Amino acid sequence: MNHYSHADDDLLTVAGRTFHSRLLTGTGKYKDFDETRRATDAAGAQIVTLAIRRVNIGQDASQPNLLDALPPDRFTLLPNTAGCYTADDAVRTCRLARELLDGHNLVKLEVLGDERTLYPDVVQTLVAAEKLVADGFDVMVYTSDDPILARRLEEIGCAAIMPLAAPIGSGLGIQNRYNLLEIIENAKVPVIVDAGVGTASDAAIAMELGCDGVLMNTAIAGAKNPVLMAHAMKLAVEAGRAAFRAGRIPRKRFASASSPVDGLVG
């Protein structure tokens, strides 16, 4: 185990659970569950998110079960409310997940505004978050990159704030790093970039800004070689986190000699 990649004093903590990996991965869009498993292993992910309304985790005994590929004793499952457009649907989906997973309370909340942009409906997200927190769920919440909204969701009691970097599946990378910085600098819960990452450099930038983690699906599953891309994302997240902890040099307009000029010979 690489000491710098998995320092014991640099764990990700979400709702009282601790993790070495800061890369969270999705389970959709792969060609089959075997590819899902191999990519997840290559990513080194410990938290994997799954769409309760779209994937079989035991609801249909005649179909392959995702839990056979990603067993709960190896991975922390993060049921999500993908495909929900109202607070009521999202709350109902989380309660279904809790029933299917024997009382599992850690969920990813997302309430979408429309099918074209897949931007979050922030009003419905707030309503759903309040209901779920009151019902005993540990809520990791997908939201826009609005610092005021992020603060409000934290005040409600969400366990992690998950602002988008760009629209879901767009691969555009971080479009507003200053909003993300504002969220990061003021949050007292983990901030995990969710949506918009396209390649390894996007993940590294998110981590260099100080994000606590990155969640991605399409950037890995949609790559020509998903398993290799998963490995690249693992390295990028680790490198970005190490660079953030190390502290980058300040940006300057002019050159600065790397060697001292005092005491030159001749």
Side-chain angles (χ1 to χ4, degrees):
M1 179 177 292
N2 186 304
H3 172 74
Y4 297 104
S5 299
H6 298 296
D8 290 338
D9 63 346
D10 187 41
L11 301 176
L12 170 64
T13 301
V14 180
R17 303 165 175 86
T18 56
F19 306 93
H20 286 290
S21 176
R22 293 175 179 270
L23 174 57
L24 293 68
T25 56
T27 53
K29 302 185 178 180
Y30 292 99
K31 66 180 182 181
D32 53 35
F33 284 164
D34 179 64
E35 185 177 75
T36 304
R37 177 190 56 77
R38 290 187 293 114
T40 305
D41 284 340
Q46 293 175 288
I47 302 175
V48 292
T49 186
L50 53 103
I52 288 297
R53 301 179 66 171
R54 297 173 180 165
V55 69
N56 181 41
I57 58 171
Q59 306 97 306
D60 186 348
S62 67
Q63 297 296 319
N65 187 335
L66 177 65
L67 301 187
D68 292 333
L70 301 176
D73 61 346
R74 280 194 59 208
F75 300 94
T76 294
L77 302 179
L78 182 62
N80 69 55
T81 60
C84 291
Y85 290 85
T86 68
D88 286 343
D89 278 350
V91 171
R92 190 179 306 114
T93 300
C94 287
R95 289 173 176 162
L96 173 62
R98 182 161 62 184
E99 182 176 337
L100 289 170
L101 295 171
D102 298 324
H104 187 86
N105 281 330
L106 184 67
V107 295
K108 178 193 166 190
L109 170 64
E110 54 183 271
V111 185
L112 303 177
D114 64 67
E115 294 184 2
R116 186 176 70 86
T117 66
L118 299 181
Y119 274 116
D121 182 327
V122 296
V123 175
Q124 289 293 296
T125 297
L126 285 166
V127 172
E130 288 183 328
K131 290 182 178 179
L132 289 170
V133 170
D135 197 17
F137 284 94
D138 296 319
V139 180
M140 301 173 68
V141 58
Y142 166 68
T143 181
S144 64
D145 59 357
D146 179 345
I148 306 303
L149 180 61
R151 184 175 65 198
R152 177 64 184 131
L153 288 165
E154 183 176 341
E155 290 169 350
I156 286 172
C158 291
I161 308 300
M162 306 180 75
L164 54 80
I168 291 173
S170 67
L172 291 172
I174 295 172
Q175 294 299 295
N176 195 336
R177 64 179 63 193
Y178 299 105
N179 273 24
L180 281 179
L181 278 172
E182 184 68 18
I183 294 171
I184 292 163
E185 289 173 357
N186 290 283
K188 295 181 178 61
V189 297
V191 176
I192 298 172
V193 160
D194 179 13
V197 169
T199 191
S201 57
D202 298 332
I205 289 170
M207 298 306 295
E208 288 171 4
L209 288 173
C211 288
D212 295 284
V214 180
L215 188 153
M216 64 184 75
N217 187 181
T218 304
I220 295 176
K224 291 180 180 178
N225 185 331
V227 177
L228 183 58
M229 182 61 80
H231 177 65
M233 292 298 189
K234 175 181 184 289
L235 299 179
V237 167
E238 291 178 354
R241 178 63 181 177
F244 170 74
R245 297 186 75 204
R248 64 157 293 139
I249 62 171
R251 291 179 171 87
K252 300 177 181 178
R253 289 184 59 200
F254 304 105
S256 175
S258 11
S259 300
V261 295
D262 293 340
L264 290 179
V265 177

